[in-house]
Amino acid sequence: MYICSMSRTTYFVDVILPLSVPNLYTYRVPFEWNESIAIGKRVVVQFGRGKLYSALIRRIHENPPKQYAAKYIDSILDDSPIVNQKQFELWDWLSNYYMCTIGEVMIAALPGGLRLSSETKILLNQNYKEQSASIELSDKEYLIVDALEIRQVLTLTDISGIIEQKIVYPIIKSLIEKGVVVLQEELKEKFKPKIESYVKITEYADNEENLKTIFDALERKAPKQLDVVMAYVTLSKRYSQERVEVKKSDILKMVDGAEAALKSLVKKNTFEMYEREVGRLASFENENKISNLNEEQQKVFESINTQFFGKQKNNGKDEKPVSEDSSLSFGEGRGEVDVVLLHGVTSSGKTEIYVKLIEQAIAQGKQVLYLLPEIALTTQIINRLRKYFGEAVGVYHSKFNENERVEVWNNVLNLKPARPAGGSEICNFKLVIGARSALFLPFSNLGLVIVDEEHDTSFKQYDPAPRYNARDAAIYLAHIHKAKALLGSATPSLESYFNAQEGKYGFAEMTKRFGGIQMPEILIADVKEATRKKMMKSHFSPLLLDTVTLALEKKEQVILFQNRRGFAPQLECNMCAWVPQCANCDVSLTYHKVSNQLRCHYCGYSIKPPTKCAACGDTDLKMKGFGTEKIEEELSIFYPKARIARMDLDTTRSKFAHQHIIQDFEEGNIDILVGTQMVTKGLDFDNVSMVGILNADSMLNFPDFRSFERSYQLMAQVSGRAGRKNKRGKVIIQSQNPEHSIIQEVIANDFLSMYTNQLLDRKNFNYPPYFRLIEITVIHKDVDMVNASAKFLADALKKHFAKRVLGPEFPLVSRIRNLYHKNILLKVEREASVVQAKKVLTELLIKFKSTSDYKSVRVNIDVDPM
């Protein structure tokens, strides 16, 4: 890291601003700060008309800018760099590959708590008044606090005027660290730390003779209290070598009516109660030893190591590669590779292989990144991995508030290690689990990157820029660190599988479920035929209802998948077919019964359901279609005694909603779980014997070249939730076209057939993996302007790329938030230079934006759209 020595040399810094500007901007460094500046530190700079921003130093040099006079930096925010060189390499790659500005990458990468601007709003911390007596404030800090008590909210510009000082960042930083103020962004997620009550034996009762006296007294007079004491002795492992802390909740689970008994025992000086915060950065002890792999898992593990390192690694000793089993595809003999694709059927035990590889990397002193597509998945995986690796496991995703994200960031950076709540040891995360944003963390010694469910579309960032694919970015991140990348999935993306078959990636395959459990039995319910015979009950076929009934009678659990949330997709007039539309988007409104609203899933616009048709005035309005909310309601009619829950975007908006639903389902408190794609992805439940897919046709008929691939992936993944332990599961797929090739391939669990057929179509019609795609979207509030500008840009592109350009065409939803969209698709052959194509495209876009008629038109670029 470049750090300047103290001198009278005039230094300049090129900084990254948290704005969508193409270039770095240059500022001058005051002489007295020459020794303090370093690449990766934040500095406060003025940009534009008096606005202040926290920018990142990217370069330090002695060359003044030629086009403008360099302003001085206002202040330096950090004692040490918060971004390292390897992160900057990743940012540069993302900016170049996905054709966005480095400022947009910075906005995506840095937690909001590390990004400040003059418009950032400051609020008084709600807890400040309780602690104000113990907090020392300077005169200027008192002025700010007094102003906040009167006005509630201040911007940094306001504060600058109040204290009559231009540079206010250091003062605000001090107030944040003292817990006096918070940024408004921090209040968006109302985080409350989880407080757990613990029970502790008193010093008096901890004496064996006194404890015997207590036992004798309770046995005669208070048997319930004796049960509580015995539960404590068992849970605390009192007579083993290592005692453990005892949660109050665990005692309440073991002894019915223990609450009153505990209070009495506290009064009798037998127990003490104390509380501890058990947040995400709390201390976790290693509870389990890592289990041994079975024969197939061991062969795959050794094969992956062979492909990664060229020879086996076992306890630090090199061994000869194992011979290839003819029934498994290991991809051996290809030499060392940096990326391996692990294709393992659902419930084949891929996670156990991940655990072994993580253990190996940590033993070598390396950091590990474990990426998952959904927060719901991280909830379950966290619990499993913390049992193995304890407090070495960190978590990072969008449900964290800004304070937590900064804390994890600093921990990974080794800038400010996290102290576990209630613990005495400082811990640093060796393994980080997270959704796509976790790849931006400041790793310095990354040894292994695991991308689980690598096929999942949730790894793709759609808006705003950078529109990156976290799987591909993770592979490049591993390359920067000279680390290894493992992609895992039961249904790999066609591109990844193609790369493995072509030898670009290594390859390993697991064809059997762990423990010899059979793949689920998949049956088709012909909805068209059942409807003709009038056998359908609402949206449920007789076969599906009979199977659900049988599972519930056996005290087994059921998952029902419907890839649409809400109660009904639309409300329709029975007389003239009028459908209520969003005022801001070209899309019909979805009915949500809980809130009794018609709501737009694109912009959030909502209205109360009309009582009559706005077109013809008729009052006969009918609900059309069905979503998860309607399924949940109707199931309660068919199964009034069943405990039914729903997992979709509407029920998982709060911070711990995923965790609570999954925990309730794991503990058997839910009999039927209805959900959208969230229930399809890698979740592991022991007692699920039956899975129902309620409307396979809606996925298959979606107008997209990936729809068949995605339909196969979704159906195969959700089917894999059934029968994961002890017995074979059953899957019911409801469809009006049961002979569809994709449905038949799902039944046969024939991924290779699906892959071969789809690959042929992709080759014939010039789609990935044979061609790369770049989607250019023209956006404006005026539809005529969109049409004219899109045609102008498409014509310019066709002069250079000819038939490789498709469009312009309006997408399915052409107006969103009162802005019209029109797409142009550019196809580039895999053999051609995509770098050159992007260069030409960039030059054309610069000319396009400089055309006076189209300056107000916004253009979005999406490289490798999904």
Side-chain angles (χ1 to χ4, degrees):
M1 193 67 71
Y2 187 105
I3 300 177
C4 291
S5 59
M6 189 66 176
S7 69
R8 299 296 291 176
T9 306
T10 301
Y11 284 113
F12 296 87
V13 290
D14 295 342
V15 301
I16 304 172
L17 290 156
L19 300 168
S20 180
V21 291
N23 300 328
L24 302 180
Y25 212 74
T26 305
Y27 289 85
R28 186 173 175 178
V29 181
F31 291 126
E32 62 269 24
W33 290 345
N34 279 4
E35 200 171 52
S36 302
I37 57 171
I39 292 172
K41 281 188 177 184
R42 289 175 302 160
V43 291
V44 178
V45 296
Q46 182 180 334
F47 186 78
R49 295 182 179 177
K51 285 191 177 181
L52 296 173
Y53 295 93
S54 59
L56 271 170
I57 298 177
R58 183 68 182 91
R59 283 193 288 272
I60 300 172
H61 54 85
E62 300 175 26
N63 306 314
K66 295 178 181 179
Q67 305 299 325
Y68 54 91
K71 299 174 184 175
Y72 281 98
I73 59 174
D74 281 358
S75 63
I76 301 172
L77 285 177
D78 304 304
D79 297 326
S80 305
I82 65 162
V83 176
N84 61 42
Q85 189 60 42
K86 287 183 168 63
Q87 286 175 281
F88 281 132
E89 285 184 50
L90 178 65
W91 293 13
D92 289 341
W93 179 81
L94 287 166
S95 174
N96 292 328
Y97 187 83
Y98 290 103
M99 300 183 70
C100 61
T101 67
I102 194 72
E104 288 171 323
V105 178
M106 175 185 170
I107 293 168
L110 281 186
L114 296 177
R115 285 184 280 109
L116 300 173
S117 74
S118 56
E119 299 307 310
T120 298
K121 293 180 180 177
I122 310 295
L123 299 91
L124 207 59
N125 190 333
Q126 292 178 352
N127 300 324
Y128 165 65
K129 288 185 179 179
E130 300 170 9
Q131 304 166 358
S132 58
S134 62
I135 299 174
E136 293 185 11
L137 299 177
S138 68
D139 291 342
K140 288 182 178 178
E141 287 173 342
Y142 268 119
L143 280 175
I144 294 169
V145 171
D146 287 343
L148 281 170
E149 287 177 340
I150 297 168
R151 293 168 57 180
Q152 276 86 47
V153 180
L154 295 172
T155 65
L156 295 187
T157 306
D158 296 333
I159 291 170
S160 181
I162 290 167
I163 63 175
E164 297 179 347
Q165 180 176 315
K166 185 177 178 182
I167 301 170
V168 298
Y169 280 78
I171 297 174
I172 296 303
K173 186 183 176 188
S174 171
L175 287 170
I176 291 171
E177 289 172 351
K178 291 175 181 177
V180 177
V181 301
V182 292
L183 306 183
Q184 188 179 50
E185 296 91 283
E186 294 171 354
L187 298 183
K188 288 180 182 176
E189 189 65 61
K190 294 181 179 178
F191 171 67
K192 291 183 180 179
K194 182 181 177 183
I195 304 298
E196 190 81 59
S197 295
Y198 285 81
V199 179
K200 175 183 172 185
I201 197 165
T202 62
E203 187 177 345
Y204 164 77
D206 203 19
N207 179 283
E208 281 300 319
E209 290 184 8
N210 293 342
L211 187 59
K212 187 177 184 305
T213 304
I214 292 169
F215 277 153
D216 293 340
L218 295 179
E219 189 174 13
R220 293 193 306 271
K221 297 181 180 179
K224 179 68 72 175
Q225 292 176 30
L226 179 62
D227 290 343
V228 170
V229 174
M230 293 301 294
Y232 174 84
V233 169
T234 303
L235 290 167
S236 66
K237 299 181 181 178
R238 177 177 176 79
Y239 298 106
S240 65
Q241 290 184 345
E242 292 186 11
R243 294 189 186 184
V244 296
E245 291 180 293
V246 177
K247 294 179 182 178
K248 177 183 174 183
S249 57
D250 290 340
I251 292 179
L252 296 179
K253 286 178 185 175
M254 283 187 71
V255 183
D256 291 335
E259 185 78 55
L262 269 172
K263 289 180 181 177
S264 299
L265 288 166
V266 170
K267 289 179 182 177
K268 292 178 179 178
N269 196 28
T270 302
F271 287 145
E272 296 175 8
M273 306 289 291
Y274 65 99
E275 291 184 335
R276 173 184 292 179
E277 179 183 332
V278 286
R280 295 184 186 275
L281 303 186
S283 176
F284 289 84
E285 295 183 2
N286 302 44
E287 298 176 13
N288 291 1
K289 289 184 178 179
I290 295 173
S291 57
N292 293 326
L293 304 178
N294 66 21
E295 185 179 353
E296 184 182 30
Q297 289 173 324
Q298 185 64 30
K299 287 178 179 177
V300 170
F301 172 68
E302 291 172 357
S303 169
I304 292 169
N305 263 334
T306 300
Q307 295 176 78
F308 275 158
F309 305 108
K311 46 192 171 182
Q312 290 304 312
K313 294 199 168 211
N314 186 17
N315 298 325
K317 297 177 181 179
D318 295 334
E319 296 180 355
K320 293 180 180 179
V322 295
S323 59
E324 184 174 357
D325 187 318
S326 60
S327 66
L328 302 171
S329 300
F330 289 152
E332 292 173 7
R334 299 176 180 177
E336 291 184 28
V337 292
D338 294 326
V339 184
V340 171
L341 173 65
L342 173 57
H343 177 205
V345 297
T346 55
S347 195
S348 57
K350 294 186 290 295
T351 304
E352 282 69 26
I353 292 175
Y354 300 157
V355 167
K356 282 286 188 182
L357 290 165
I358 292 167
E359 180 190 36
Q360 179 177 275
I362 290 176
Q364 294 167 1
K366 300 286 189 179
Q367 296 169 301
V368 179
L369 172 62
Y370 190 133
L371 286 181
L372 288 154
E374 288 277 3
I375 295 168
L377 272 179
T378 63
T379 298
Q380 198 172 47
I381 286 291
I382 291 161
N383 296 332
R384 293 177 68 178
L385 293 183
R386 274 183 170 158
K387 288 178 180 177
Y388 297 130
F389 302 108
E391 63 189 23
V393 179
V395 186
Y396 191 83
H397 55 61
S398 60
K399 289 288 184 181
F400 277 22
N401 66 31
E402 295 302 342
N403 281 334
E404 290 174 294
R405 290 201 213 184
V406 173
E407 189 172 352
V408 176
W409 182 283
N410 289 340
N411 183 288
V412 176
L413 186 67
N414 293 324
L415 187 74
K416 189 178 179 183
R419 185 181 296 277
S424 58
E425 296 297 322
I426 296 288
C427 66
N428 283 106
F429 299 141
K430 298 179 180 68
L431 165 63
V432 175
I433 308 168
R436 61 175 180 255
S437 58
L439 65 86
F440 291 115
L441 286 167
F443 297 102
S444 56
N445 189 26
L446 200 58
L448 176 66
V449 178
I450 296 171
V451 185
D452 200 8
E453 309 296 339
E454 66 85 28
H455 66 278
D456 202 286
T457 55
S458 297
F459 280 126
K460 174 72 175 179
Q461 162 76 11
Y462 291 99
D463 268 313
R467 295 173 180 85
Y468 66 98
N469 188 313
R471 175 198 64 206
D472 300 337
I475 291 171
Y476 193 80
L477 177 68
H479 167 73
I480 291 169
H481 285 264
K482 295 182 171 56
K484 304 298 180 183
L486 181 67
L487 314 180
S489 177
T491 54
S493 64
L494 260 66
E495 288 87 344
S496 294
Y497 201 82
F498 179 82
N499 285 335
Q501 296 302 308
E502 293 290 302
K504 185 176 179 181
Y505 297 167
F507 185 65
E509 190 168 39
M510 302 170 71
T511 58
K512 299 173 185 174
R513 282 188 150 192
F514 185 83
I517 301 297
Q518 288 181 286
M519 294 296 291
E521 178 187 6
I522 302 178
L523 303 173
I524 301 298
D526 189 336
V527 175
K528 190 175 183 180
E529 183 65 14
T531 304
R532 187 182 68 81
K533 293 181 177 178
K534 298 183 179 179
M535 296 172 67
M536 292 290 291
K537 295 182 179 179
S538 183
H539 305 289
F540 308 107
S541 64
L543 177 59
L544 185 134
L545 289 176
D546 291 345
T547 311
V548 171
T549 302
L550 185 62
L552 295 178
E553 287 173 354
K554 293 180 178 179
K555 307 295 183 185
E556 295 167 343
Q557 291 172 299
V558 173
I559 291 177
L560 296 181
F561 167 59
Q562 167 62 5
N563 202 26
R564 185 183 287 273
R565 64 188 171 100
F567 189 84
Q570 62 187 45
L571 191 69
E572 185 178 293
C573 173
N574 217 30
M575 185 66 70
C576 72
W578 169 80
V579 175
Q581 299 285 314
C582 175
N584 309 312
C585 312
D586 284 341
V587 67
S588 59
L589 298 172
T590 299
Y591 179 60
H592 289 253
K593 189 168 185 178
V594 170
S595 57
N596 191 33
Q597 287 183 329
L598 288 169
R599 195 180 304 157
C600 174
H601 288 175
Y602 285 84
C603 71
Y605 171 82
S606 63
I607 59 171
K608 288 289 181 184
T611 55
K612 63 180 182 179
C613 174
C616 70
D618 196 79
T619 57
D620 188 10
L621 303 177
K622 299 289 185 184
M623 300 290 177
K624 296 289 183 179
F626 60 99
T628 50
E629 192 179 356
K630 188 173 185 181
I631 296 300
E632 181 187 25
E633 181 184 277
E634 293 189 345
L635 282 171
S636 63
I637 299 171
F638 290 109
Y639 303 104
K641 294 182 180 179
R643 295 163 296 179
I644 303 165
R646 174 164 50 97
M647 189 161 77
D648 56 24
L649 188 61
D650 297 322
T651 62
T652 56
R653 292 186 188 277
S654 64
K655 182 165 186 173
F656 297 110
H658 288 99
Q659 184 176 333
H660 292 155
I661 294 171
I662 289 169
Q663 186 174 340
D664 282 345
F665 198 60
E666 282 181 326
E667 293 175 355
N669 299 324
I670 298 170
D671 298 316
I672 305 175
L673 181 63
V674 181
T676 54
Q677 291 187 39
M678 291 180 184
V679 301
T680 70
K681 301 173 183 179
L683 295 171
D684 188 5
F685 301 114
D686 292 357
N687 196 37
V688 174
S689 66
M690 184 264 171
V691 165
I693 298 171
L694 298 177
N695 188 6
D697 305 309
S698 64
M699 300 180 283
L700 292 166
N701 296 332
F702 193 78
D704 183 87
F705 77 92
R706 297 185 195 270
S707 63
F708 283 7
E709 176 193 4
R710 287 182 181 160
S711 297
Y712 178 92
Q713 289 167 342
L714 279 170
M715 285 190 275
Q717 287 284 345
V718 75
S719 298
R721 303 314 110 211
R724 296 176 71 87
K725 299 287 192 308
N726 305 322
K727 62 175 291 183
R728 189 182 189 192
K730 187 172 284 189
V731 179
I732 308 299
I733 299 177
Q734 292 192 161
S735 172
Q736 300 210 26
N737 185 12
E739 298 305 317
H740 196 288
S741 61
I742 291 294
I743 292 177
Q744 293 303 313
E745 285 158 356
V746 171
I747 294 171
N749 190 36
D750 193 351
F751 174 84
L752 197 57
S753 174
M754 185 278 295
Y755 167 77
T756 305
N757 293 335
Q758 293 306 303
L759 204 63
L760 182 61
D761 285 346
R762 303 279 182 91
K763 189 172 186 178
N764 290 337
F765 296 102
N766 298 341
Y767 282 106
Y770 299 102
F771 277 69
R772 297 180 187 275
L773 304 183
I774 300 175
E775 188 174 70
I776 304 107
T777 303
V778 177
I779 304 169
H780 198 271
K781 62 184 178 181
D782 183 351
V783 66
D784 293 329
M785 176 65 78
V786 166
N787 285 326
S789 59
K791 185 179 184 305
F792 178 90
L793 183 56
D795 289 345
L797 285 166
K798 286 173 183 176
K799 289 178 182 177
H800 289 272
F801 297 105
K803 293 181 180 179
R804 297 182 185 90
V805 180
L806 296 183
E809 294 287 345
F810 284 113
L812 282 175
V813 181
S814 58
R815 182 173 61 105
I816 300 173
R817 296 183 177 90
N818 283 322
L819 293 172
Y820 290 91
H821 296 62
K822 207 162 191 180
N823 295 337
I824 302 165
L825 191 65
L826 174 60
K827 296 181 176 182
V828 182
E829 300 91 335
R830 182 169 284 272
E831 300 77 24
S833 171
V834 72
V835 174
Q836 185 60 32
K838 289 176 182 176
K839 184 179 178 182
V840 172
L841 176 57
T842 301
E843 290 171 356
L844 289 174
L845 289 175
I846 291 171
K847 289 180 182 177
F848 173 79
K849 291 297 288 183
S850 63
T851 304
S852 58
D853 292 344
Y854 304 130
K855 281 189 175 179
S856 61
V857 176
R858 197 168 94 216
V859 179
N860 287 347
I861 306 295
D862 190 357
V863 179
D864 301 336
M866 292 186 72

